[in-house]
Amino acid sequence: MKHILLFILLSSTMYLFGQQRSASQGTITGHLLEETSNTPLEFATISLLSPTDMVVVTGGISDDKGMFEVKASFGTYVVKIEFIGYESMQLDNIVLSAEKPTYDLGNIVVGESAQMLDEIEVVAEKSEMQFDLDKRVFNVGKDLANKGGSAEDILDNIPSITVDVEGNVSLRGSENVRILVDGKPSGLVGVGDTDGLKSLPSGMIEKVEVVTNASARYEASGTSGIINIILKKDQQKGVNGSVDISAGLPENYGAGINMNVRRKDVNFFLNYGIRSRRGPGRSLVTQEFFNPDAKISLSEQIGDRDRGGISNSFRGGMDYYISENDILTGSIIYRVGDDYSDATTLFRDFNNNGNLFEISERVQDEVEDETNLEYELRYERKFKQKGRKFTAFVQYQSSEEVEEADYIDRTFDASFNRLEELPTLQRSRNAESNGTFLMQADYVYPLGKEHKFEVGTRISLREIGNDYYVEEEVDNRWQTLLGLSNNFIYDEDIYAAYAIYGNKIGRWSYQVGLRAEHSEVITTLEQTNEINDRTYTNLFPSGHLNYELDKSNTLQLSYSRRISRPRFWYLNPFFTFSNNRNIWGGNPNLDPEFTDSYELGIIKYIGEASFGSSFYYRHTTGVIERISFIDSTIVVPGGEEGSVVTRTLPQNLSDENSYGFELTGSADINKWWRLDGSLNLFAKRTQGSFEGQNFDAQAFSLQNRLSSKMKFWKDAEFQTRFWYRAPETRTQGRSKSMMSLDLAFSKDVLQKKGTITLSVRDLLNTRKYRYETLVGTRGIDGFFLDREYQRRPRQTNLSFNYRINQKKQRQRGGDRGDDGGGNGGEF
């Protein structure tokens, strides 16, 4: 409670420091008409400028009837009217006063630009990728391959990001990445993992921001960077939105609606998506054991898996414009999922002579029920001074997930004759609950045109409970397996504050920041009464130095210190029992990783092409790696006599040095052909040991993507994308190469109000995860494992998007970036 009171006191002090008395206000109104047809000109931009320096003071957008209404303090203004394809208009000496608080401009006729319409269409085409100095922005809507998919599919299509076989997300080869939604943690992503990404429909997402070297404004979590998913939300006056419907094979059905209603001082927004999916997968594992006395010398494991279910995602809220400078936003997110995971694994065991002597089968039937609820209240105040702003929000999220699984084990001889009369029956239950309370306040104070000071505070209080147990039927009675059952509780409280100072002198601009975070993390294993208390306070400095070589070239040098606290599933000792010979679990004794990150980047624009390149280096201490080993202390009931159990646990190693070069770019070859591509070359060296075994490793790898989009007839587009990942050496083995080819076709219909898209993901069916694991020394002890796994086969989707009172998004591919999405980049 004292920490909460302290936060409220700090936030109130910051607000009072930035508060200024609102001046009396007036209103400027008007009605825009298109010159040739005399019809309303909707969604045009109206800006109010100061006549002394022509700086934008405030503004608005015309509604579907061409009407507009802009509130402003008493004074003299220049009114500027703009719309793509039409001549800009400027009206001078518009005065609001106590004597005349309302100024009606009447009917304003706007004429088309002299520039040809087809040329305007080319300039207006929106880029999939936009550059900014501290981030890259990927516009989801323009990537045809994303239609009908999920958030997981979207991330897997973004340069430098990969999603592995378990659904773990990596950025530049590192899994220590922080994933946010609208600039904040969210249960839509998942609790302790990223499972929620596969349930979040792509139709709810507007864009994704990738920040590789974050400033002190951002929370310090995520040593490789931050991925910020921006959900769709509009603030145009009137009623507008879109509807999405999709169907695909293997089974993938979805529908969604994004709506916005703006009436004077109130804006309502709504996103809803429902998704039914089925993901058949197949795996092949060959495991060779080196112990000459082992009963099993070689084991083949053939797995068939079917995961799917139905999920509903809802997000709704309201913006209330208290005044032209004050906005209060309330929102709620609700997600419910009803999923299943069925699997059958066939074990073929060979003796030292290479003869098949036993076959066993393990069948899993699992159901998963999940609910997630989030509430948020946000306040924003903009001051008359440009760039001066105070924001604060309070968020609470809670979630519950229950997984229940039944297992059946049967054993056969080499001729597939039953060796036992009755099968072994087991069952597991995993009940997880999460509660998170988050408060944050930020204040930006400009000291000059490009000179600013910024401060902020943040409190995050989180508790996760996980009750996991495994039972086996013995003599018609269920008995708990104590070695695999426990109740795990995770408490995490983080208190933070930051300050940033930035300025520009000539072609040089710089920004320095410092963030302080105090962490209190306690984990408890209730059945064994094991308590692990980790409390630490850390400082996280950051710095950005920019130099403008010329108008089309900018050079940036940046540094930041980051932390990666062990994720919940990395700490939880028990959470899966699907394969009783290869057990995965967590380690409650893990310490956080700390990374010092350096990056040198350049952004260059050449005509209709834009390129970004960067050299980066990261030094990480306390590196967390998943280590596999043979655990002779575990005898799993249901496992065959003489079978070997391997365990995989995360461990802190010594340190890691990683460095690389990244190149991204986009170019309009001509009016109908556009290319986007990326290349990431990286190397890393890991040093460390575990239980006397050396785990030093060196790796070099690359990832690249190339996308081509062509307009081969009116309002139709054809897109191809090729993706390749080279082999990579790891601590205990290596991952093998992987590639895929995607195709998509779209056509505008219904007078450009609708779009039909047909896409094929992994056309050649080559997107298979393949890796090798080597534990110990060949011929002495340990094992060698070769695994191939396909999460899902080739996917074909057909989708339809219909826009309600919306124009098809048209901005430009040469964009230099934006304001940081829905939160101005302030996390």
Side-chain angles (χ1 to χ4, degrees), residues 540-671:
F540 300 95
S542 65
H544 293 72
L545 179 65
N546 304 332
Y547 180 70
E548 295 179 2
L549 301 172
D550 52 49
K551 290 185 178 180
S552 60
N553 294 275
T554 303
L555 188 68
Q556 182 188 57
L557 177 65
S558 60
Y559 162 79
S560 67
R561 180 168 173 80
R562 313 279 301 163
I563 186 175
S564 178
R565 299 176 183 89
R567 61 186 68 177
F568 171 69
W569 288 116
Y570 270 33
L571 296 170
N572 188 1
F574 312 110
F575 59 83
T576 179
F577 194 54
S578 59
N579 187 327
N580 59 348
R581 294 196 192 181
N582 297 285
I583 299 176
W584 290 60
N587 177 6
N589 297 311
L590 287 178
D591 292 316
E593 297 180 349
F594 291 92
T595 295
D596 292 284
S597 177
Y598 306 83
E599 187 163 342
L600 176 65
I602 186 171
I603 299 174
K604 184 175 181 62
Y605 296 90
I606 306 175
E608 298 302 320
S610 55
F611 300 93
S613 62
S614 61
F615 294 90
Y616 58 90
Y617 168 73
R618 295 192 300 259
H619 175 71
T620 304
T621 58
V623 175
I624 298 175
E625 289 278 354
R626 285 178 293 218
I627 304 297
S628 298
F629 58 96
I630 294 176
D631 193 341
S632 58
T633 64
I634 294 183
V635 178
V636 179
E640 277 46 74
E641 182 180 355
S643 62
V644 181
V645 176
T646 64
R647 295 196 67 182
T648 301
L649 299 176
Q651 299 288 344
N652 285 109
L653 300 183
S654 178
D655 57 26
E656 179 181 274
N657 292 287
S658 60
Y659 45 91
F661 170 74
E662 187 174 47
L663 175 66
T664 55
S666 60
D668 291 324
I669 307 303
N670 49 43
K671 293 182 179 180

Side-chain angles (χ1 to χ4, degrees), residues 51-116:
T52 56
D53 53 12
M54 297 302 288
V55 172
V56 176
V57 177
T58 185
I61 297 175
S62 60
D63 62 18
D64 55 349
K65 297 178 182 179
M67 307 294 293
F68 67 85
E69 179 182 293
V70 181
K71 293 183 178 180
S73 301
F74 291 161
T76 302
Y77 299 96
V78 174
V79 177
K80 189 174 184 179
I81 300 169
E82 299 173 291
F83 190 69
I84 294 176
Y86 291 81
E87 295 286 356
S88 297
M89 295 189 64
Q90 185 170 300
L91 306 175
D92 299 325
N93 200 33
I94 306 300
V95 181
L96 292 175
S97 64
E99 293 74 22
K100 190 177 182 180
T102 302
Y103 199 119
D104 186 5
L105 298 174
N107 292 334
I108 304 172
V109 179
V110 183
E112 290 188 2
S113 171
Q115 190 177 13
M116 295 178 62

Side-chain angles (χ1 to χ4, degrees), residues 44 78 86 203 216 248 251 277 317 322 350 372 393 422 504 509 514-515 637 650 670 723 756 784 793:
V78 174
Y86 291 81
E251 181 181 319
R277 66 196 185 283
I322 304 171
F350 297 81
N372 179 272
F393 72 84
L422 296 175
K504 183 175 182 181
S509 59
L514 182 65
R515 185 180 187 92
N670 49 43
W723 176 82
I756 297 176
F784 172 78

Side-chain angles (χ1 to χ4, degrees), residues 164-200:
D164 71 8
V165 62
E166 281 87 26
N168 299 310
V169 179
S170 298
L171 176 61
R172 288 179 172 174
S174 172
E175 292 182 8
N176 295 319
V177 58
R178 182 64 160 159
I179 302 177
L180 307 173
V181 176
D182 286 336
K184 298 172 289 293
S186 175
L188 289 176
V189 173
V191 178
D193 54 24
T194 55
D195 278 352
L197 293 173
K198 65 178 179 288
S199 301
L200 181 61

